[in-house]
């Protein structure tokens, strides 16, 4: 199912079966934000509505819970957050597209790195993320002006909103480069927004995450955004200070602030009361100790991550991808991740390998959640930061924590350049088909041209990789409606 971002009178608007609370207000609050183009949108919440929402704890909580529900609904498929792994896996070197998918459609464009600005529907996350930002900014404004909420609820929800604003901007800047910085729900400002330089977007992301750290609870809270869960029974679906710290560590890594990346990842790793590396088999189960932040599936029949990847028959229209030989060849002999996290389907002629981190193609019992932030990434962030700071033995120790869990011996890399190369490969086999890590890693480490110059001809029967294709294009329709977004990214 693919959402079209038109001014439709019949906008799909599901009632979410979300276990934390029944969201009564979301249809009224979000309907405009989910049905119109970002550049055309009216104010998503009237002043009267905002006043009513933020005078009651339950309705205020419902706004943020509704955002998590949309993120876990599965209704967005390839454009939703649960499509990031698929989309970037096809753009990069992780996934191969089934030959029957070569019809010029959305996935074909992604796989052949031939995105068309004139045809953004189905593959362009721009609209969806900015629509979420409108709701988030409305929440920030409503919460900041409210004097009626329980102070603990207000503080937690403001922290969640700041965290989410940083989260969506992080993905926008990594997909598109320079992007408008969305800091208001005022449609008149958004309709004429200019692009903000990438470095300035990152500065705001860092500001939001630091503020989120100060606001969010240290421990996981329940559906009322106030009651702390007892140890061992946490639902890890509402962001905590740990989630903000984990994302901040990643942002510092991306902006080459090695000392702060080291410090923030260390803060997460050292919180062994809440976090610890789990077994490979249990790493993607719900609420396990490796999870820093997860999102609950809403539609467990087909909205799960496993649904899009697990093959029980030949790749086809429903599940058109499988793992590339480039990824499979990156695993060292004896790597238990290849055994535990890679599945296979053999039709008697061909064996297809697929991501099997998530074990359930359908998950009616909610045994798994989307894993958004997990501890293993923090070890790899710290290893890379330590290597950049020439703390070689410390970097080796963090790298070995991940390798040893996978059944591999300690690394033999003992100098900075070799360690950085080994860490990048370790990220490839640890974080494959997870939230765009590989695609973003290739770009931020300046390895994308080298890798894609090899990979691109295999996807296009020859041809030459163009470095401009590492950024996705803006929609030409959005640029037509708001000329301040011009020019488009190079190459489009």
């Amino acid at each position: 199912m693919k959402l079209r971002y038109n001014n439709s009178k019949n906008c799909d608007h599901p009632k979410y079966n979300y276990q934390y609370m029944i969201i009564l207000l979301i249809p009224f609050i979000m309907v405009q934000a989910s049905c119109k183009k970002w550049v055309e949108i009216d104010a998503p919440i009237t002043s009267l509505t905002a006043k009513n929402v933020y005078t009651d704890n339950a309705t205020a909580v419902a706004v943020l819970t509704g955002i998590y529900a949309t993120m876990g609904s599965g209704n967005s498929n390839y454009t939703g957050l649960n499509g990031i792994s698929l989309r970037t896996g096809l753009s990069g070197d992780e996934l191969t597209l089934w030959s029957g998918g070569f019809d010029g459609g959305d996935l074909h464009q992604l796989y052949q790195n031939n995105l068309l600005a004139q045809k953004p529907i189905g593959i362009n996350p721009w609209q969806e993320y900015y629509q979420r930002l409108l709701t988030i900014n409305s929440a920030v404004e409503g919460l900041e002006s409210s004097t009626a909420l329980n102070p603990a609820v207000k503080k937690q929800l403001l922290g969640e909103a700041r965290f989410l604003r940083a989260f969506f901007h992080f993905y926008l800047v990594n997909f598109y480069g320079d992007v408008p910085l969305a800091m208001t729900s005022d449609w008149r400002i958004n309709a004429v927004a200019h692009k903000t330089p990438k470095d300035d977007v990152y500065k705001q992301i860092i500001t939001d995450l630091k503020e989120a750290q100060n606001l969010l609870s240290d421990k996981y809270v329940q559906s009322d955004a106030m009651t702390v869960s007892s140890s061992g029974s946490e639902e890890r679906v509402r962001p905590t200070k740990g989630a903000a710290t984990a994302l901040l560590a990643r942002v510092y890594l991306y902006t080459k602030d090695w000392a702060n990346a080291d410090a923030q990842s260390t803060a997460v790793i050292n919180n062994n009361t809440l976090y610890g590396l789990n077994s490979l088999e249990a790493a993607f189960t719900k609420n396990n100790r490796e999870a820093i932040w997860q999102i609950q599936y809403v539609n467990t029949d087909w909205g799960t991550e496993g649904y899009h990847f697990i093959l029980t028959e030949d790749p086809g229209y429903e599940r058109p991808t499988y793992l590339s030989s480039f990824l499979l060849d990156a695993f060292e002999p004896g790597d238990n991740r290849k055994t535990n996290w890679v599945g296979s389907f053999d039709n008697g002629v061909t064996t297809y390998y697929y991501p099997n981190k998530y074990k359930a193609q359908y998950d009616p019992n909610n045994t798994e959640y989307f894993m958004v932030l997990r501890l293993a990434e923090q070890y790899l962030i710290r290893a890379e930061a330590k290597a950049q700071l020439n703390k070689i033995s410390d970097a080796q120790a963090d790298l070995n924590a991940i390798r040893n869990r996978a059944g591999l011996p300690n690394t033999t890399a003992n100098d900075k350049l070799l360690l950085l190369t080994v860490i990048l490969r370790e990220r490839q086999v640890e974080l494959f088909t997870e939230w765009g890590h590989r695609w973003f890693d290739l770009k931020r480490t300046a390895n994308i041209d080298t890798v894609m110059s090899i990979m691109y001809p295999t996807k296009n029967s020859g041809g030459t990789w163009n470095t401009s294709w590492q950024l996705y294009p803006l929609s030409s329709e959005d640029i037509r409606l708001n000329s301040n977004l011009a020019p488009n990214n190079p190459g489009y």
Side-chain angles (χ1 to χ4, degrees):
M1 179 179 186
K2 300 172 185 176
L3 294 182
R4 297 179 64 87
Y5 304 108
N6 298 328
N7 295 331
S8 170
K9 295 180 181 179
N10 297 313
C11 178
D12 187 24
H13 194 71
K15 295 181 180 178
Y16 300 110
N17 181 19
Y18 206 65
Q19 77 176 35
Y20 305 106
M21 69 183 304
I22 298 173
I23 305 166
L24 300 176
L25 235 70
I26 295 305
F28 186 73
I29 294 171
M30 298 184 68
V31 64
Q32 293 187 62
S34 63
C35 299
K36 290 187 177 183
K37 285 184 176 291
W38 179 65
V39 292
E40 299 174 323
I41 209 162
D42 297 327
I45 306 176
T46 67
S47 58
L48 178 61
T49 304
K51 180 179 178 180
N52 291 339
V53 169
Y54 299 105
T55 57
D56 179 84
N57 290 338
T59 55
V61 171
V63 177
L64 276 301
T65 305
I67 296 171
Y68 307 135
T70 62
M71 293 168 73
S73 69
N75 283 323
S76 302
N77 262 351
Y78 305 138
T79 57
L81 288 176
N82 59 328
I84 287 177
S85 303
L86 178 67
R87 183 165 54 244
T88 57
L90 284 169
S91 292
D93 63 348
E94 294 181 310
L95 295 174
T96 299
L97 181 64
W98 162 62
S99 59
F102 286 79
D103 59 357
D106 300 339
L107 297 186
H108 186 198
Q109 288 183 49
L110 283 162
Y111 185 58
Q112 294 202 323
N113 304 102
N114 184 32
L115 298 182
L116 305 176
Q118 295 78 19
K119 187 187 176 187
I121 300 302
I123 57 175
N124 196 330
W126 175 280
Q127 294 292 340
E128 182 171 337
Y129 297 0
Y130 277 113
Q131 288 158 7
R132 299 289 81 80
L133 284 166
L134 280 173
T135 304
I136 292 164
N137 284 328
S138 293
V140 171
E141 294 158 9
L143 290 163
E144 287 180 338
S145 63
S146 175
T147 59
L149 296 176
N150 178 294
V153 172
K154 178 177 178 177
K155 184 179 179 183
Q156 173 68 19
L157 294 182
L158 265 174
E160 291 183 25
R162 290 293 188 93
F163 170 81
L164 286 171
R165 188 162 68 185
F167 181 82
F168 281 99
H169 276 123
F170 172 83
Y171 276 94
L172 281 164
V173 81
N174 277 283
F175 276 128
Y176 298 100
D178 298 345
V179 293
L181 193 56
M183 300 297 292
T184 179
S185 65
D186 190 330
W187 66 273
R188 291 162 295 190
I189 295 174
N190 293 330
V192 293
H194 290 75
K195 293 179 186 176
T196 301
K198 177 180 177 180
D199 289 347
D200 291 335
V201 177
Y202 269 123
K203 287 178 183 177
Q204 182 57 49
I205 290 171
I206 291 170
T207 296
D208 273 335
L209 289 174
K210 286 182 174 179
E211 185 63 20
Q213 283 180 315
N214 293 329
L215 292 166
L216 289 167
S217 171
D218 290 336
K219 298 181 179 179
Y220 291 95
V221 296
Q222 298 179 19
S223 61
D224 61 2
M226 176 175 54
T227 304
V228 175
S229 298
S230 58
S231 180
S233 63
E234 303 97 346
E235 286 282 345
R236 299 179 176 232
V237 295
R238 297 205 87 93
T240 60
K241 180 178 180 179
T245 304
L247 185 55
L248 186 56
R250 184 194 297 177
V251 170
Y252 280 134
L253 187 77
Y254 276 49
T255 56
K256 304 185 188 312
D257 186 340
W258 315 123
N260 274 318
D262 178 3
Q264 297 299 320
S265 56
T266 296
V268 180
I269 293 168
N270 286 352
N271 188 357
N272 51 28
T273 300
L274 279 179
Y275 310 121
L277 290 177
N278 216 329
S279 67
L280 294 176
E281 295 85 350
F284 292 86
T285 54
K286 69 176 183 181
N287 301 324
N288 77 82
R289 279 176 49 78
E290 186 162 346
I292 300 171
W293 179 45
Q294 296 179 303
I295 297 173
Q296 183 185 338
Y297 301 134
V298 174
N299 188 332
T300 57
D301 289 334
W302 60 275
T304 66
E305 194 83 318
Y307 175 90
H308 296 294
F309 287 130
I310 296 173
L311 295 174
T312 57
E313 58 186 7
D314 285 357
Y317 288 104
E318 193 74 10
R319 295 172 190 86
T321 67
Y322 52 97
L323 291 176
S324 73
S325 60
F326 290 85
L327 175 60
L328 294 171
D329 291 344
F331 288 96
E332 297 173 50
D335 192 330
N336 291 331
R337 287 169 295 197
K338 192 171 184 180
T339 304
N340 284 277
W341 291 353
V342 174
S344 63
F345 172 76
D346 188 340
N347 64 11
V349 177
T350 303
T351 300
Y352 297 99
Y353 297 92
Y354 59 83
N356 198 35
K357 290 178 170 179
Y358 296 88
K359 308 304 182 186
Q361 193 176 64
Y362 303 94
D363 192 16
N365 296 320
N366 261 142
T367 60
E368 300 173 336
Y369 293 162
F370 288 120
M371 180 71 83
V372 191
L373 297 170
R374 63 184 179 99
L375 190 63
E377 183 200 356
Q378 298 301 304
Y379 275 97
L380 291 169
I381 287 173
R382 192 168 70 173
E384 186 172 340
K386 294 284 193 186
Q388 292 285 3
L389 294 168
N390 285 304
K391 298 179 179 180
I392 303 303
S393 61
D394 290 342
Q396 289 173 323
D398 284 332
L399 182 59
N400 290 336
I402 301 303
R403 289 178 58 82
N404 294 165
R405 179 176 71 161
L408 295 174
N410 289 345
T411 182
T412 58
N414 56 7
D415 66 74
K416 177 180 175 178
L417 291 179
L418 184 56
L419 259 177
L420 290 172
T421 300
V422 170
I423 290 167
L424 182 62
R425 185 180 66 180
E426 202 68 34
R427 290 179 64 91
Q428 180 183 15
V429 294
E430 175 70 28
L431 302 172
F432 70 93
T433 60
E434 283 186 60
W435 292 90
H437 283 294
R438 175 62 174 172
W439 180 242
F440 298 161
D441 281 349
L442 290 176
K443 293 195 286 185
R444 69 176 180 84
T445 62
N447 281 289
I448 191 163
D449 290 339
T450 299
V451 170
M452 293 305 293
S453 292
I454 299 170
M455 184 67 184
Y456 184 79
T458 71
K459 300 198 284 185
N460 292 272
S461 300
T464 304
W465 164 254
N466 185 332
T467 192
S468 295
W469 296 334
Q470 64 186 277
L471 293 178
Y472 287 178
L474 280 64
S475 161
S476 57
E477 176 66 7
D478 282 330
I479 295 175
R480 184 187 69 79
L481 292 167
N482 177 11
S483 60
N484 290 331
L485 297 177
N488 211 328
N489 283 330
Y492 300 101

